[in-house]
Amino acid sequence: MVFRLIGKLRCIRTTPEELEDFSTPDFTIYNVGQFPCNRYTHYMTTSTSIDLNLDRKEMVILGTQYAGEMKTGLFGVMHYLMPKRNILSLHSSNNMGKDGDVALFFGLSGTGKTTLSTDHNRLLIGDDEHCWSENGISNIEGGCYAKCIGLTKEKEPDIWNAIKFGTVLENIVFDEHTREVDYSDNSITENTRASYPIEYIPNAKIPCVGPHPKNVILLACDAFGMLPLVSKLTLPQTMYHFISGYTVLMHSPLHQAHRYSPHPPSPPPHLPSLAAATAAAPSLPRLRNSETLPGPGTDLSLSEAPSISETSSL
């Protein structure tokens, strides 16, 4: 029941008029929570399994209570379907200014997409998953999935105020008597989450669509000082950094072991990571069956790539 509620919060909700004509679902998710998969199945290495069948339009989730698997699975389906329609699916957040200027934030999990896009001076289009077509930007989801580790009302008032009746909190610790949440407690995991409808953000743009982005911002969690604090990139530089997906695994198992070890080494083991295409490699344009990948040294034309008019300083 909880998984169903979370799914309803994140997906674009149907209207009563649309439900009257509803017949066969476009896609079905079977989520059985912690019930494990058969570890003796060929190629199975753990008790957790997320299986996707595009022909049957079904996804089966076994051995995990992390609700984010439903969101990630549907995003993978969009990566497969959207390029067929010449639409780019993007792991990004978006907001829009009063003059219609859209800012698009690329970044891996934990780099600040939700925090930066939720700005009460700008309209929120969405905080994580979008499509970019010839008509502009559109949100895939109907809700937000905000990280809430260390959340305070002073730092992120809009997200704080969105946590109310109807919001589902995940992996958090709370007092059983007062029901007060301790957002600083990471004893379960750093990946504490809040799922809420996008309408819970007062300045959300409904419907969640906008024109072509004016500002494209690549976010990186850089613990080594390899990158300048703010850089204005050329088009080739933007493509390079998008493909390389440089960040630091601040919440890796090794980093967590350091945090809770009685005799931790110094300095903490931040791990550099390269996540291709900002952890959205499947969103790169699909190749038709008749096409082949270009070989090394092939000169790829950039003439049709979207240009960046300017970047915003953070």
Side-chain angles (χ1 to χ4, degrees):
M1 188 68 182
V2 173
F3 290 129
R4 182 179 178 184
L5 174 59
I6 293 176
K8 184 177 181 180
L9 291 176
R10 293 189 200 155
C11 295
I12 298 176
R13 288 158 292 283
T14 53
T15 64
E17 293 75 20
E18 291 171 329
L19 286 175
E20 291 180 0
D21 299 327
F22 183 82
S23 56
T24 304
D26 294 327
F27 203 85
T28 303
I29 299 176
Y30 301 98
N31 191 335
V32 295
Q34 63 182 343
F35 184 85
C37 63
N38 185 355
R39 294 189 63 181
Y40 297 99
T41 303
H42 195 41
Y43 292 121
M44 195 66 66
T45 59
T46 73
S47 59
T48 300
S49 173
I50 295 91
D51 296 285
L52 181 65
N53 190 314
L54 293 171
D55 288 332
R56 297 179 58 172
K57 299 180 180 180
E58 293 177 342
M59 179 167 62
V60 178
I61 301 174
L62 298 167
T64 175
Q65 297 185 78
Y66 178 51
E69 299 296 354
M70 295 187 295
K71 165 191 176 72
T72 305
L74 287 178
F75 196 26
V77 174
M78 298 299 285
H79 286 333
Y80 176 79
L81 294 176
M82 291 299 99
K84 287 185 171 183
R85 305 181 182 182
N86 293 322
I87 298 174
L88 192 62
S89 48
L90 300 170
H91 185 205
S92 65
S93 64
N94 293 270
N95 60 25
M96 188 174 77
K98 298 177 181 179
D99 297 328
D101 56 303
V102 171
L104 185 151
F105 300 89
F106 283 116
L108 299 172
S109 178
T111 55
K113 294 189 302 298
T114 299
T115 301
L116 292 172
S117 61
T118 307
D119 181 343
H120 41 256
N121 294 317
R122 297 174 65 85
L123 300 175
L124 175 65
I125 297 176
D127 78 324
D128 199 55
E129 300 174 3
H130 294 84
C131 284
W132 191 350
S133 71
E134 294 180 352
N135 299 319
I137 288 287
S138 60
N139 193 352
I140 294 175
E141 303 177 293
C144 299
Y145 195 42
K147 279 193 173 184
C148 46
I149 186 70
L151 178 67
T152 65
K153 186 175 183 179
E154 293 72 27
K155 291 182 180 179
E156 300 175 89
D158 288 336
I159 296 176
W160 178 277
N161 293 329
I163 300 178
K164 54 187 177 181
F165 183 80
T167 297
V168 176
L169 296 177
E170 187 177 356
N171 294 330
I172 55 89
V173 176
F174 66 96
D175 188 293
E176 295 183 359
H177 301 289
T178 65
R179 301 182 67 83
E180 183 177 350
V181 177
D182 184 359
Y183 292 110
S184 64
D185 193 322
N186 59 3
S187 58
I188 299 176
T189 175
E190 293 266 351
N191 191 24
T192 57
R193 296 281 185 168
S195 297
Y196 49 85
I198 196 168
E199 293 89 352
Y200 278 20
I201 301 297
N203 57 333
K205 187 178 184 302
I206 308 296
C208 303
V209 296
H212 294 293
K214 179 180 180 182
N215 301 312
V216 177
I217 302 170
L218 306 184
L219 305 172
C221 182
D222 180 19
F224 293 98
M226 297 179 64
L227 300 175
L229 293 178
V230 179
S231 299
K232 187 172 182 178
L233 305 179
T234 64
L235 178 58
Q237 288 173 329
T238 304
M239 297 176 70
Y240 169 82
H241 284 285
F242 174 80
I243 294 297
S244 67
Y246 168 71
T247 193
V248 174
L249 298 179
M250 299 292 289
H251 309 313
S252 66
L254 184 58
H255 189 270
Q256 293 300 301
H258 172 275
R259 179 185 293 272
Y260 300 115
S261 171
H263 305 290
S266 183
H270 301 318
L271 301 178
S273 173
L274 297 176
T278 319
S283 68
L284 295 177
R286 290 164 43 96
L287 294 175
R288 294 187 296 271
N289 293 334
S290 60
E291 295 177 332
T292 58
L293 286 170
T298 303
D299 183 16
L300 299 179
S301 173
L302 307 181
S303 59
E304 296 182 358
S307 61
I308 300 175
S309 57
E310 60 180 322
T311 55
S312 176
S313 59
L314 304 181

